[in-house]
Amino acid sequence: MAQIRTALALLALAFLQTPLRAQAPLPDPDVPWWEELGDTSLIDLLREAVRANGDLRAAVQNIVQAEAAAARARSALLPSLSVDAQANTGPLEGVGFQFGGIPREGEAPELPPRFYTGSANLRASYRLTSLGTELRSTRAARLEALASRGDEDGVALALIGQVATAYYDAVSAARQEQVIVRQVEVGEQLAELSQLRYARGEATALEVLQQRQQLATTRATLPPARAQRRLAESRLVTLLARDPLRSQVELGAARLPSVPPMRSPLSDGELYLLDRPDLRGEEFRLAAAGARVSAARWSRVPSIDLSASTGSQFFRSLETNTQSTWGISLSASLPLFDGLDRSSRIREASAGERGAVESLEQSRRVASAEVVQAGIQREEQQAQLDALRAQLEASQRAFEESRRRYLAGLASVLDVLNAMTGMQQAELGVIRTERSVLDAWIQQRQAIGGAWTSGIRRRLEESR
């Protein structure tokens, strides 16, 4: 027991003497993740994508459509003003016929064969009860237009994620292709050396065949890596709205950037305050659904209309007679039976509001799960990457030592091949895991969102 207490005391003392590691910060909600990475090539591609992608252009037109619908709904709050004019002509006998015919006794002046009438009126009308149903319907249309802006940001957010995925997939595949080409070159050098040693009687035929087998195996991995790069480039070209048959992406010396440190939001308050386009759109749609319910309830209120008109009319036969007219009217209407239309409208709007509440809550749960899952993926991938880098370093030392011993005649070619296979697998594993860490980091940054997710298209188009 004394030994156990002593060991625990030593562990506690070591813990107190170890400096605490600074906790990584939460991501800045105002800074887009691509600016944190600082990859100018990616930023240029993102800017090109938001300018040319057809899905994003369609989302912009949906905004125009929703704003036009909101403007049309707002017209119900304004008075209407119109000018009405009409002109008529016909046989004069027709006028006399209405009163028993035109008298012909005595010396009557000669009457024209036709008569002319006309009128012109300026009419204004306004629904006094428009501050009820119409006002709330207008508010709902305006909120739905704001929701459509969230849809645009959602499309833009998904687009930049797809562009980044395709671009870094291509970069990662290109790096793997370069590594395999370099490994093939090393294998060819070892094959020539094995053949030379066999000719001098320092190696067996089996060692030569084993080296050739290893070289052929390495060469066989080159076509899949090349195909992976070409497919990723093709996806990227499509996202950029380029012609896939006549365009390609120049990767040059592009590298996978290092991900900045970031702490995963885990508390309920942090997860509840996620700022994402899909959540903003759901919130606006919920508010619009509530306005629709209020508008449906106000439809039970009687409608009161006020109208006024002024104008002039004339009659011409032997001479022209004119007369000014004006009028004001106030009317009220209360339907006594509408076939349950208004009550059904209220139930319909209320069901829509309840559905919007459930949809918003589910979206929040999904968003929180995406943040947590991406954080788990990023942390575990980072741990695997650290282990693979240590493995790669050890594999490189083992390969160099085995090759040195082989040249000195102290090791067999099988030792060299085993060391080279381990080094190749570790090097490719590091590249793939670096790509996975970067992908998980981007996914988590997109899942967390922030103020930068508002107006993504404009932010990228205006950036230089």
Side-chain angles (χ1 to χ4, degrees), residues 157-224:
L157 187 64
L159 175 62
I160 63 176
Q162 294 169 0
V163 171
T165 297
Y167 173 66
Y168 285 131
D169 281 348
V171 172
S172 176
R175 281 192 60 195
Q176 294 179 55
E177 186 179 353
Q178 293 169 1
V179 168
I180 295 173
V181 169
R182 188 169 65 251
Q183 292 172 353
V184 169
E185 294 173 352
V186 174
E188 290 173 345
Q189 294 173 2
L190 285 176
E192 293 177 0
L193 180 60
S194 298
Q195 186 67 37
L196 180 61
R197 293 191 63 187
Y198 174 73
R200 293 189 308 214
E202 299 175 356
T204 65
L206 178 59
E207 291 178 337
V208 175
L209 293 176
Q210 288 175 333
Q211 177 57 41
R212 290 179 179 176
Q213 179 186 10
Q214 175 65 27
L215 179 58
T217 301
T218 305
R219 283 174 175 166
T221 61
L222 186 57

Side-chain angles (χ1 to χ4, degrees), residues 130-362:
S130 62
L131 296 180
T133 301
E134 287 78 5
L135 177 62
R136 285 153 181 80
S137 297
T138 300
R139 182 171 180 268
R142 187 169 61 251
L143 290 169
E144 288 169 354
L146 293 175
S148 67
R149 289 194 174 276
D151 294 340
E152 181 211 354
D153 288 331
V155 173
L157 187 64
L159 175 62
I160 63 176
Q162 294 169 0
V163 171
T165 297
Y167 173 66
Y168 285 131
D169 281 348
V171 172
S172 176
R175 281 192 60 195
Q176 294 179 55
E177 186 179 353
Q178 293 169 1
V179 168
I180 295 173
V181 169
R182 188 169 65 251
Q183 292 172 353
V184 169
E185 294 173 352
V186 174
E188 290 173 345
Q189 294 173 2
L190 285 176
E192 293 177 0
L193 180 60
S194 298
Q195 186 67 37
L196 180 61
R197 293 191 63 187
Y198 174 73
R200 293 189 308 214
E202 299 175 356
T204 65
L206 178 59
E207 291 178 337
V208 175
L209 293 176
Q210 288 175 333
Q211 177 57 41
R212 290 179 179 176
Q213 179 186 10
Q214 175 65 27
L215 179 58
T217 301
T218 305
R219 283 174 175 166
T221 61
L222 186 57
R226 187 183 299 115
Q228 184 179 3
R229 172 185 56 80
R230 294 178 63 189
L231 289 172
E233 290 177 352
S234 178
R235 292 197 305 270
L236 182 57
V237 166
T238 302
L239 292 170
L240 298 175
R242 298 181 185 176
D243 187 350
L245 299 178
R246 298 181 176 85
S247 179
Q248 61 182 4
V249 178
E250 296 295 336
L251 298 178
R255 307 280 294 180
L256 294 176
S258 301
V259 298
M262 178 181 65
R263 177 171 66 86
S264 300
L266 297 177
S267 68
D268 292 338
E270 290 172 340
L271 289 175
Y272 191 81
L273 295 176
L274 298 179
D275 187 3
R276 297 173 25 146
D278 55 344
L279 297 183
R280 289 198 298 269
E282 295 284 356
E283 290 169 355
F284 283 127
R285 287 191 174 88
L286 175 57
R292 295 290 184 195
V293 173
S294 181
R297 289 172 178 166
W298 269 84
S299 65
R300 293 176 172 178
V301 176
S303 60
I304 302 175
D305 296 319
L306 175 65
S307 62
S309 64
T310 181
S312 177
Q313 62 183 5
F314 76 92
F315 178 86
R316 176 182 175 82
S317 177
L318 291 175
E319 58 184 14
T320 300
N321 297 314
T322 61
Q323 181 181 1
S324 297
T325 61
W326 64 273
I328 299 176
S329 66
L330 183 68
S331 62
S333 175
L334 175 62
L336 299 179
F337 180 73
D338 58 1
L340 302 179
D341 175 71
R342 286 176 294 174
S343 59
S344 299
R345 194 183 309 169
I346 293 174
R347 290 201 306 273
E348 178 185 4
S350 299
E353 183 182 29
R354 290 192 297 271
V357 170
E358 295 296 334
S359 179
L360 176 58
E361 291 303 318
Q362 180 63 22

Side-chain angles (χ1 to χ4, degrees), residues 114-133:
R114 288 181 296 274
F115 73 94
Y116 303 91
T117 63
S119 65
N121 292 280
L122 178 64
R123 188 181 304 276
S125 62
Y126 182 66
R127 175 156 291 184
L128 298 179
T129 54
S130 62
L131 296 180
T133 301

